[in-house]
Structures are given as structure tokens and as C-alpha cells.
Amino acid sequence: MSKALQPVRGTRDLIGAEARLHQAVGDTARRIAGLYGFEEWFTPIFEDTRVFARGLGETSDVVSKEMYTFEDRGGESLTLRPENTAGVCRALVTNGLTQSLPQKVFYNGPMFRYERPQKGRYRQFYQIGMEVLGSAEPLSDAEVIAAGWHIIQALGIADGVVLEINTLGDAESRDAYRAALVAYFGAHEKKLSADSRVRLAKNPLRILDSKDEGDRQLVAAAPVITEFLTPAARAHHEAVLRQLAAFGVPLRENPRIVRGLDYYSHTAFEFVTDRLGAQGTVMAGGRYNGLVEEMGGPPTPSVGWAAGMDRLAMLMEAAGAAPAVVRPVAVLPMDEGAEARAIEAAQALRQAGETAVMEYRGNLKRRMERANKAGARAAVLVAADGALQWKDLVTGEQRGITLGDLGRG
RNA sequence: GCGGUCGUAGCUCAGCAGGUAGAGCGCCAGGUUGUGGUCUUGGAUGUCGCGGGUUCGAGCCCCGUCGAUCGCCCCA
């Protein structure tokens, strides 16, 4: 045991039920995204460090203290992606797709963040995400959110999850609001928590979602973004809310929703749950109108979200929505001479789309036991003379069949 | 990065004024010379996370370390 190597802190193996859960999340999300006309993109797991430093904001926590950044043998500064929106925007630009907008993108894969691990929070974690690149229309905001809700429903976890939505307004609205917040919290600085005093200087909006009780009381009386929205920003937000209603997505307006990454503006939303302890955010995103430009492209207004597969999988498990395991048919030779014929039978089943397993060793009793443990629903018993019998492992019934019967289930 | 809790067989856990470890499940073999699930008999397995210290003696005490976990921070 002392010599056994362990997985690196914050990483783990996905095997068995956990693997199946993750697979179900990815497959379901991909399928639903397809229903909305989104196509999957595969971008590199590491990028030029500048992709993230520029995209997410140099001062954001993710960039300033959570990235896996290293120099490769050629002396380039590379970074394991901490999220995938910046990479997708970079790919849009490098592939010349800013000429054919909008692009509707789905992705699925591992992300890396150097954080203190906790349940539902890992250093290598998995995200799915959807992005609409190149549309400023409120309908694109509403549709990606609706697709996200559709996925949550399809996973069978909608019960404990609710959409909270807010707007951060455009740059003009946001600057005015930020100034108002600084003035308000500045006047009450002595009552703020230590953390929030730091936020006041660095990112005053962040005080809004503080968990500190004292902060919360101050926040309750703080100015609200809606008072500072420009007419255009207000119109956008109202249109998004209206269309979400048309999509049938239940929501709760929450003026305290804020985003941690710098690229967001206008719509900001989170699907949250109270069933995962401190890791309550399950899917989150918003509109980002400046990111593609940061990657060297033309102004390209976009919206999207990302969701933690690990958290979705945990919710599925808690909801008893775990995917069923496929029950195979076991093909068992009764004597050594029957092996070739058994292979033929197994292949016939597989050609017909049936999952077939062959136990590799032991006498018939041993193979039967293994087939049973593997959850086989039936066994095909193969005699040396080539005769086949079908044994239903649930009822125990057994009858003679021919090779041709196997193709017909 | 900060604070709390925890770490014993593959899994879930018990153990104790400090005297070098147990149960259930699982696993292996038999009861059954070609047929599983139930039942039954027997068997194997741990450097008690790792390193150091205190002690005649430590799974039980102390320190460190690694990992998990809860909260903060941050975020998906």
C-alpha cells in the first residue's frame, strides 16, 4: 500500500457507476444540444496562456491564482484550460468563422483549476457548455438558457434546480452601478467583512453574493442594478425574460447574481440547487460581447453557459436517475470442442445489435456464475455437436434454438 | 490560501486505562461429472494512509506529512 501510487490531489478515476453517470450526462447533453442545432467542437486542452489571461481578465481569481501554467520545451507559456469559452472564441477567430455567424457550439471535456478540492469541486473537472457566437438578439440568450433547462430536465434532476437570472447591463450601465455600489459600501466600510473590504477595491459587484451575514444585511439595502440600466440594456433584459416565458422556463429574478469572469455583460444566470452543499451552482453563464475581440476578431456578441458534469452526475445519483446497465447475453460453450461454434453464436448476436459476452475460462458452472454476476439476462449454451440452447436467466426456462434464431433476438 | 472533522481487509465499519486486529458484504475452494441466482461447509487477505516521537510496549497519545471531507474564499 505504501508503494501504491495515488491519483494527484483533486483528480480521481471515473469507473463503474460514476463513469456511467458522466457518460449519461455527456450523451444526453450532446443529444439535446443537437435538437437546438448546436454542433460539438473539440478545442485543445492547453492553449497559449494569453488566451485565458486576456479573456478572463488578469485580475480574476481564476487567472491570478488557479491556473496550471507551465513553460513547454520550446519556451512557450502554456496553460491547461480552466474553462472553455475563451478557447472556443479563439477557435472561432483562427478558423475564420467570424465570416459565418452565428455559430452554435456545444463542448464537453476536462478543465483544470488549482483550487482546494471539495466534494463537487476538483482540480480536474468536467464541463459541458453551449455558446451562441455572433448574435446580439435576446432570443439567443433565451434559447441557450432554454436548451440548458431542457438538458437538466432530460437528466431527471429538474426537481431540485432553479434558474436565477439577472442583468449586468452594458458597459455604461455597469460603470454607473459600480460607482453607486462603491459609494454605498464605502460609506459602510466599517461594517463590511474583511473579505468584502478587499472586494470593495477589487470587484465591488462581488460583495453582492457574499455569504457573510453582516454583508447580507448591508446588501439588502444596497442599490440595485435595474435602477442604472440604460434604455437599451433594459429592453434587452425584458425581452429575454419575455422569451424565457415563451420557452416555458421557470425562473427567479435575482439582482444579486454576479459573474466571476470579466468578460460578462447583460444577461447573467445560474441554475442553482441546495442539494450540493457549498457547491450549489450547477450551470452558469451569461452574455459576453467583448471576448471574441480580445482574441483578435471583430466585435462578436455572444452568449453561453457551462455546467459541471461532476455536479450534474451527483444530482442524478441523488435523484435515483442513474442509467441502467446493459444486460448482455452470455454465450457459454459446454465443452472445449464447442468454442468455435460459440464464437459464431456470439458474433451472430453482435451483428444483430445484441450485447454478447463470452466467459473466458472455467467449467460450465464457473462460467454460469460469472455470467450471472455480469448481469446477463440470458445464456446461450453451445454443445460440442453445435446444438444451441437458450436459457432465460430470469425465469430459468431453457429451450433449443438454431443459429438463425439469434439474429432475431 | 484560512479554519474544523476524518484516514483500520476490495467495500461498509467495529476495536481501545495504550499489551502487535475483528464483523458483514465481496473474493477463492467444496457440497453438485457438463446449468447460474438461494442455501451450506471451509479458506485467504491488512507493514491499522505515510514518516518521526513518547513508552518496556501505540491502530489507539504527541508532532509532521499526504489524502478525503465540511465551511470560508472562489467557482461549474
Side-chain angles (χ1 to χ4, degrees):
Chain A
M1 212 48 176
S2 58
K3 280 185 189 161
L5 265 18
Q6 293 182 322
V8 171
R9 181 169 164 84
T11 71
R12 73 262 168 74
D13 304 304
L14 299 174
I15 293 174
E18 258 188 316
R20 264 177 262 125
L21 238 21
H22 271 69
Q23 200 178 2
V25 171
D27 291 350
T28 301
R30 184 178 297 106
R31 194 187 93 239
I32 304 296
L35 297 178
Y36 288 75
F38 285 64
E39 286 205 339
E40 186 164 16
W41 286 15
F42 300 86
T43 64
I45 276 175
F46 52 86
E47 297 264 2
D48 187 314
T49 298
R50 289 171 294 182
V51 169
F52 307 112
R54 266 191 221 169
L56 319 195
E58 304 271 4
T59 59
S60 66
D61 278 48
V62 169
V63 171
S64 61
K65 46 192 183 197
E66 294 177 0
M67 296 204 305
Y68 280 93
T69 296
F70 60 97
E71 200 172 276
D72 74 1
R73 290 167 189 274
E76 306 274 348
S77 177
L78 306 181
T79 295
L80 260 31
R81 61 185 187 194
E83 58 100 64
N84 205 32
T85 302
V88 164
C89 289
R90 195 231 80 227
L92 180 84
V93 175
T94 40
N95 290 279
L97 294 170
T98 51
Q99 297 295 311
S100 38
L101 298 174
Q103 289 287 329
K104 298 194 290 181
V105 183
F106 169 77
Y107 64 79
N108 166 201
M111 309 294 162
F112 307 84
R113 251 119 98 159
Y114 189 84
E115 293 186 278
R116 177 93 177 242
Q118 259 176 54
K119 191 198 290 186
R121 193 171 84 177
Y122 306 98
R123 290 182 171 180
Q124 173 172 336
F125 59 104
Y126 298 83
Q127 285 189 332
I128 52 174
M130 293 176 71
E131 317 283 354
V132 180
L133 303 160
S135 169
E137 300 307 318
L139 181 54
S140 54
D141 302 55
E143 197 181 41
V144 257
I145 294 172
W149 178 239
H150 197 151
I151 289 168
I152 287 168
Q153 288 178 305
L155 293 174
I157 56 174
D159 202 26
V161 175
V162 58
L163 168 64
E164 301 202 329
I165 189 165
N166 188 25
T167 178
L168 303 172
D170 48 27
E172 193 184 328
S173 321
R174 203 164 157 186
D175 288 347
Y177 183 47
R178 189 193 312 266
L181 282 183
V182 171
Y184 172 78
F185 286 119
H188 298 84
E189 189 166 355
K190 293 177 298 297
K191 289 192 239 163
L192 284 175
S193 65
D195 282 331
S196 284
R197 278 199 287 272
V198 174
R199 293 185 180 110
L200 183 58
K202 215 175 112 189
N203 189 352
L205 291 250
R206 272 278 155 197
I207 299 175
L208 296 177
D209 62 356
S210 171
K211 286 175 186 169
D212 180 86
E213 197 40 52
D215 288 352
R216 280 170 173 266
Q217 288 179 17
L218 282 177
V219 166
V224 175
I225 179 78
T226 34
E227 303 162 22
F228 298 87
L229 294 177
T230 59
R234 180 184 306 277
H236 184 91
H237 186 52
E238 283 169 358
V240 171
L241 294 180
R242 208 161 48 237
Q243 281 158 350
L244 279 171
F247 275 109
V249 181
L251 61 84
R252 185 157 74 205
E253 289 188 68
N254 180 351
R256 311 295 179 219
I257 296 264
V258 149
R259 302 279 70 208
L261 306 177
D262 288 0
Y263 52 62
Y264 289 104
S265 59
H266 289 287
T267 308
F269 64 91
E270 294 179 1
F271 285 93
V272 298
T273 176
D274 58 8
R275 299 182 188 181
L276 292 179
Q279 274 62 52
T281 302
V282 125
M283 177 182 282
R287 173 162 285 282
Y288 48 98
N289 287 345
L291 190 50
V292 174
E293 261 178 293
E294 290 288 346
M295 297 300 143
T300 308
S302 306
V303 227
W305 53 255
M309 297 175 75
D310 313 87
R311 295 180 187 177
L312 293 170
M314 281 191 281
L315 284 176
M316 281 178 79
E317 191 177 21
V325 187
V326 176
R327 302 191 64 184
V329 173
V331 180
L332 313 177
M334 293 197 281
D335 315 278
E336 274 180 36
E339 207 152 64
R341 181 71 166 171
I343 290 172
E344 222 180 317
Q347 291 303 80
L349 284 163
R350 292 163 180 163
Q351 290 295 341
E354 181 72 52
T355 299
V357 298
M358 295 193 289
E359 298 307 333
Y360 299 128
R361 49 177 282 254
N363 57 24
L364 184 56
K365 172 183 157 66
R366 156 73 359 106
R367 293 188 199 222
M368 268 293 204
E369 284 173 354
R370 287 181 185 282
N372 199 57
K373 270 170 207 150
R377 65 184 183 88
V380 173
L381 305 176
V382 185
D385 64 2
L388 303 178
Q389 301 206 68
W390 177 272
K391 174 161 181 149
D392 187 308
L393 290 179
V394 178
T395 63
E397 284 171 32
Q398 187 170 329
R399 63 175 201 280
I401 57 166
T402 67
L403 196 59
D405 292 333
L406 292 178
R408 297 192 283 273

